[in-house]
Amino acid sequence: MELFEYKAHELKGMLGKGEVSAKDVAESFLGRIGAVDESVGAFLAVDRESALAGAKRYDDGEKDGLLAGIPVGIKDNISVKGMQNTCASKILEGYIAPYDATVTEKIKRQGGVIVGKLNMDEFAMGSSTEHSAYKLTRNPFGLDRVPGGSSGGSAASVAAMEVPVSLGTDTGGSVRQPAAYCGIAGLKPTYGSISRYGVTAFGSTLDQVGTLGRDVKDLALITSAITGKDDRDFTTHSRDLGDLYANLSKDIRGKRIALPDEFLGEGLNEDARKSIEESVKVFEALGAKVERVSLKMADFSLAAYYIISSAEASSNLARFDGIRYGFRAKEALDLIDLYKESRSQGFGPEVKRRIMLGTYVLSAGYYDAYYKKALKVRKLIQDEYNSIFSNFDAMISPTTPTPAFRLGDKTEDVMAMYLNDIYTVPVNIAGIPAVSIPCGLSEGMPLGLQIMGAHFSEQTILDIAYAYESERGLDLRPSL
């Protein structure tokens, strides 16, 4: 096998035994990027020199760290000092990050080798990565299909074996949905378990850095490297998740798992339904007990999400005004015209749609009717999840209602695009952790199983995912 075909934890073992050099590993993945990324389009920027320099540090003796010598890809809304941070938007074209995000610092401290920046939906607003201002990313399992979004580049790069692991962000499913579409594993941790310092904000009470890898062990490895409290992000929690990688266990005997009726209703692809039913049998064979439950507030999650996230986006994106950095419109008549033209020309249609929606729901006369009401609904959703997790160790559902759709199929139908997130959005509303792992195929495209847990139960849901993955033995690989 080529080195790029190995998973991160396998490479970690080989590097630790001295069987390969970090330079050989880095060059193998850089070669893979050169061979396939013209077709896949996962990367917006590749920093070959930086990657080889990081590998050289390992080979020269800096061998400590969970990710020592392992290549990592970073979504292009997470700051890496000296690399671009465009958020896939024209309004930030040419912007170079002057500092590292906390997660970037931690990856470097743990010996990770950062390869480059990955494509995404502009400002993380989208579910297909078709809203990038720069390029189209394709699903490695079907180049006529979307990779999901907004972390489409992060998922596609791992599925195409261009990097073994990557970072994305998840505001309403933007790690789990593309992980499901691309046949890999993706984790959205508990809100507050990973610092967002240096991550461009979309919806501040929903955003969370997430991790992607080809299997659960890789997720546990990279997640353990970046979690923890950060004084620069007051939303981070002091609770320690522990070493998720070292503590992984396949023993889930006696675990109680909930399956919501509402997540198996109308709109669910028949193959996805069968995959969930088969997954229930796998869990029961492993000694877990699966019971049906009702999530009465589930139908309100999507509406609450788009009101809250758009309101927060309209506030967060006000800083992009054409004055301090990024794109500036030419020949503006005055300051107000400069603001208007810079934002009109610099932002794409989906970003402008959400800014306008957010501004509307925050405006006088509508704040109480929409935004305030959405916050109340959010509390009810959180209470319902907390109630279920007082009796169950985890909850399962499909990650998405269907496999990846074809490029261009939903670009004109906004509501159809938004409905792709119907099973993932409630997790962000509740602030709980969730992981997506492959569970089958439909039309030759991967399907995902979502496993959710109570706040800070990452070890539990990863153990359940690890047990399932070990039993099923799914290791999906695209034929690029």
Side-chain angles (χ1 to χ4, degrees), residues 175-189:
V175 162
R176 290 158 289 146
Q177 185 249 32
Y181 280 177
C182 291
I184 61 169
L187 173 68
K188 180 263 169 195

Side-chain angles (χ1 to χ4, degrees), residues 93 120 162 180 207:
E93 188 169 13
M120 56 184 285
E162 297 176 287
D207 294 344

Side-chain angles (χ1 to χ4, degrees), residues 167-178:
L167 292 188
T169 58
D170 192 313
T171 306
S174 290
V175 162
R176 290 158 289 146
Q177 185 249 32

Side-chain angles (χ1 to χ4, degrees), residues 5 7 10 141 183 214-215 438 472-478:
E5 295 181 75
K7 298 169 185 176
E10 294 170 335
F141 284 88
R214 282 176 46 210
D215 67 6
R472 285 295 307 273
L474 290 175
D475 183 11
L476 304 180
R477 296 188 180 203

Side-chain angles (χ1 to χ4, degrees), residues 175-308:
V175 162
R176 290 158 289 146
Q177 185 249 32
Y181 280 177
C182 291
I184 61 169
L187 173 68
K188 180 263 169 195
T190 303
Y191 181 82
S193 61
I194 296 175
S195 173
R196 294 176 296 114
Y197 175 78
V199 181
T200 307
F202 162 18
S204 299
T205 67
L206 300 161
D207 294 344
Q208 187 60 71
V209 174
T211 52
L212 299 105
R214 282 176 46 210
D215 67 6
V216 175
K217 289 184 81 170
D218 280 3
L219 284 189
L221 181 66
I222 188 170
T223 305
S224 294
I226 63 173
T227 56
K229 185 168 176 57
D230 180 15
D231 291 338
R232 294 173 295 187
D233 178 0
F234 74 92
T235 66
T236 53
H237 200 278
S238 58
R239 183 164 174 174
D240 184 10
L241 295 181
D243 190 334
L244 301 169
Y245 177 67
N247 295 325
L248 266 183
S249 171
K250 299 176 187 176
D251 185 4
I252 62 168
R253 287 171 295 180
K255 297 290 186 188
R256 295 188 68 200
I257 300 173
L259 174 59
D261 290 324
E262 289 78 4
F263 287 3
L264 298 174
E266 187 180 350
L268 180 62
N269 171 281
E270 196 55 38
D271 290 330
R273 188 187 309 278
K274 289 177 183 175
S275 290
I276 295 300
E277 291 169 354
E278 290 168 4
S279 298
V280 169
K281 294 176 183 175
V282 171
F283 287 126
E284 290 175 341
L286 289 167
K289 185 176 182 181
V290 181
E291 298 177 36
R292 298 290 280 266
V293 297
S294 179
L295 275 174
K296 295 182 174 60
M297 298 302 298
D299 289 345
F300 303 102
S301 297
L302 210 59
Y305 168 79
Y306 277 101
I307 290 171
I308 294 168

Side-chain angles (χ1 to χ4, degrees), residues 216 252 283 435 437 451 460-470:
V216 175
I252 62 168
F283 287 126
V435 61
I437 53 174
I451 305 170
T460 299
I461 64 172
L462 286 174
D463 285 351
I464 292 170
Y466 185 44
Y468 176 87
E469 177 186 82
S470 301

